[in-house]
Amino acid sequence: MLLKKNFSQQKLNGVQTGNGTVAFQGVKLNVHSFVLDGVLIDTGAASLEKEFQPFFKQQVIDQVVITHFHEDHTGCAAFLQKEMNLPIYMNDMKIDHCKKKPDYPMYRKVFWGKRQPFHANAIGKTFSSQNATWDVIDTPGHAIDHVAFLNRETGQLFTGDLYCQEKTKVILREESIPTIIESLRRVLTYDFGDVFCCHAGFLKDGRAALQRKLEYLLELQGKIIKHYEDGMTPSQISKTLFPKKYPITFLSSGEWESMHIINSIIQDL
């Protein structure tokens, strides 16, 4: 299996960003890690550890915080803990899960590698760095343990996988669109400026981008409910609203699928 990899780094508005990319069979995925004020936000994937290591070693890092347990965000956590002796903090919901070798589908192991076990500490509602206090904002929906981080001093918000892209077309089977809608509403009540997404990177005019995503999901939710109440089946709704099939759906054997959007909304009625 030939996995094409790429890595780049840059400094944006005082935030050091590392971006690793993997490509396989026509599907290209990427993930970011960010460093600000001695805090490393998310660790990248195990498949990109060799690419991320120089980036980590160049930074001044006092602590690691993780937005959620998925392997593209926790893949280098064991390296950071064992080799760089850094403390790791995350939502306590998945701390025990991360102590063990994970079990996830083969296609994810191909892209993101095999995440090694690590020991994290429970993160509170706030934490402190060298020059700032940070808010830890509950933002479930993509993952049950998902949180976002807001640096109160700089007003910079790190949203993990809350955004990813404005117009969501496919989601994981376990995701919930109604819960993501509530998470977007919650995060938009905070005062912030710059937004950094772990896949899209720096979002220019981040508040407006998050607001547009919320409006898109609300409109989509409305359409799905109307079609369902008009007697359409979930399959018919999917074919109407999402006629295009995406490579990730085939590659993941349906773990990523437009139908999951519809089911998550109908199940919430």
Side-chain angles (χ1 to χ4, degrees):
M1 288 183 201
L2 186 59
L3 196 68
K4 293 182 180 178
K5 303 179 188 181
N6 190 38
F7 188 85
S8 62
Q9 63 184 84
Q10 59 180 322
K11 189 173 183 178
L12 288 165
N13 295 0
V15 178
Q16 296 284 353
T17 71
N19 180 23
T21 302
V22 290
F24 179 71
Q25 290 189 353
V27 176
K28 185 178 179 182
L29 302 174
N30 82 312
V31 67
H32 288 76
S33 288
F34 305 105
V35 180
L36 176 65
D37 199 36
V39 179
L40 171 67
I41 298 142
D42 285 342
T43 76
S47 62
L48 290 160
E49 187 174 299
K50 287 182 180 178
E51 286 74 21
F52 269 102
Q53 281 182 11
F55 171 73
F56 295 147
K57 290 175 180 178
Q58 288 166 18
Q59 312 304 323
V60 176
I61 304 172
D62 304 316
Q63 58 188 315
V64 180
V65 297
I66 290 172
T67 59
H68 63 297
F69 75 100
H70 288 165
E71 66 276 3
D72 49 330
H73 300 258
T74 56
C76 299
F79 165 80
L80 290 157
Q81 186 164 64
K82 293 172 185 174
E83 302 299 323
M84 296 182 67
N85 201 31
L86 290 167
I88 299 171
Y89 299 91
M90 64 187 293
N91 189 320
D92 64 2
M93 288 184 188
K94 288 291 185 178
I95 284 177
D96 286 343
H97 174 89
C98 289
K99 289 177 183 175
K100 306 166 189 171
K101 286 188 177 180
D103 181 21
Y104 46 84
M106 180 55 68
Y107 82 95
R108 284 162 61 176
K109 291 176 183 174
V110 168
F111 276 100
W112 300 130
K114 296 179 182 179
R115 194 261 303 151
Q116 295 302 307
F118 65 95
H119 292 259
N121 304 299
I123 200 164
K125 294 296 181 187
T126 64
F127 67 91
S128 297
S129 59
Q130 296 168 6
N131 301 294
T133 297
W134 298 63
D135 288 307
V136 179
I137 308 167
D138 287 331
T139 49
H142 171 70
I144 192 172
D145 67 326
H146 199 288
V147 292
F149 302 115
L150 173 62
N151 182 312
R152 291 183 190 171
E153 188 70 25
T154 65
Q156 290 167 318
L157 178 68
F158 298 83
T159 56
D161 283 0
L162 180 62
Y163 178 81
C164 290
Q165 57 183 349
E166 185 178 320
K167 296 189 175 179
T168 302
K169 305 294 185 184
V170 294
I171 62 172
L172 283 165
R173 188 175 283 109
E174 64 267 24
E175 288 190 71
S176 166
I177 293 298
T179 305
I180 291 170
I181 285 170
E182 290 309 308
S183 291
L184 285 164
R185 282 176 166 153
R186 183 177 302 113
V187 89
L188 283 163
T189 66
Y190 286 78
D191 183 19
F192 60 88
D194 291 344
V195 176
F196 294 85
C197 167
C198 276
H199 294 290
F202 174 70
L203 302 181
K204 189 177 179 182
D205 198 356
R207 177 174 289 276
L210 292 170
Q211 185 67 44
R212 287 195 303 271
K213 179 165 185 121
L214 173 60
E215 289 166 2
Y216 165 79
L217 291 180
L218 286 168
E219 183 181 356
L220 183 60
Q221 184 182 48
K223 287 178 182 176
I224 288 167
I225 291 170
K226 185 177 188 308
H227 285 319
Y228 184 67
E229 290 176 344
D230 287 345
M232 289 177 69
T233 65
S235 180
Q236 288 170 332
I237 298 170
S238 183
K239 287 174 183 173
T240 300
L241 296 178
F242 304 105
K244 183 179 176 182
K245 291 300 173 187
Y246 296 89
I248 190 66
T249 298
F250 298 105
L251 194 66
S252 69
S253 299
E255 190 179 39
W256 289 90
E257 170 59 271
S258 302
M259 181 71 80
H260 304 326
I261 295 173
I262 293 145
N263 287 336
S264 78
I265 289 169
I266 291 172
Q267 288 163 9
D268 194 61
L269 293 176

